[in-house]
Amino acid sequence: MRKGLAIGAVVLIVALGSWLYLFRVTEDQVVAHRMLDFDKIEPNTEMVWTEKDDMKTFEYAVRFAKKKPGIVDIAAPPYSFKLGGDTYWLYASPEYNVMQFINSKASGTLYTVRKSSADRIRKLLEEADKIGYGVPTPGSMAYPGHELSEPETK
């Protein structure tokens, strides 16, 4: 009986520790920009979030995204964001109701963000645009000249 309780307690502690590790928030800010090209930021469009829930939204989007098979060939991103030491190119397509990103260090791999995270990120970007970060195109997360389409995979 005692042996069974001890094993159960150990299993519970390991499960709880794993859960806490998986859902931790490790960064103290997220910085995003509108993009003109892969390596060119649109001037005066920096958006910074420091609230824990906002950072959690971006961290969970990256941590729980689905990797798309194949190698991606896609246009320049409308947004980039920096989380920790990594920069991500963010594609938000209202036409296809999808949000995807590419880690700039591994630019051949595309990840699709879960709908719940995508909705929260869209809301954060829209709120940032309302207070003066860039000028959004009505009804779109893209900016003029960068209409989004479904990316091609090879």
Side-chain angles (χ1 to χ4, degrees), residues 67-110:
K67 183 177 180 179
K68 298 247 324 177
I71 297 173
V72 71
D73 181 16
I74 194 167
Y79 291 96
S80 72
F81 67 94
K82 185 170 180 142
L83 184 63
D86 290 327
T87 299
Y88 301 91
W89 297 323
L90 183 64
Y91 298 87
S93 174
E95 182 180 343
Y96 293 101
N97 197 25
V98 102
M99 183 172 287
Q100 298 171 313
F101 68 87
I102 297 172
N103 185 324
S104 65
K105 293 178 184 175
S107 60
T109 305
L110 185 69

Side-chain angles (χ1 to χ4, degrees), residues 79-151:
Y79 291 96
S80 72
F81 67 94
K82 185 170 180 142
L83 184 63
D86 290 327
T87 299
Y88 301 91
W89 297 323
L90 183 64
Y91 298 87
S93 174
E95 182 180 343
Y96 293 101
N97 197 25
V98 102
M99 183 172 287
Q100 298 171 313
F101 68 87
I102 297 172
N103 185 324
S104 65
K105 293 178 184 175
S107 60
T109 305
L110 185 69
Y111 296 86
T112 301
V113 176
R114 292 174 26 201
K115 183 171 175 11
S116 59
S117 292
D119 291 344
R120 288 193 294 266
I121 290 173
R122 273 193 195 92
K123 184 177 178 186
L124 289 170
L125 292 170
E126 287 170 358
E127 288 171 0
D129 278 331
K130 285 179 187 175
I131 61 172
Y133 299 117
V135 181
T137 301
S140 173
M141 295 305 297
Y143 56 91
H146 283 77
E147 287 68 35
L148 299 172
S149 60
E150 187 66 27

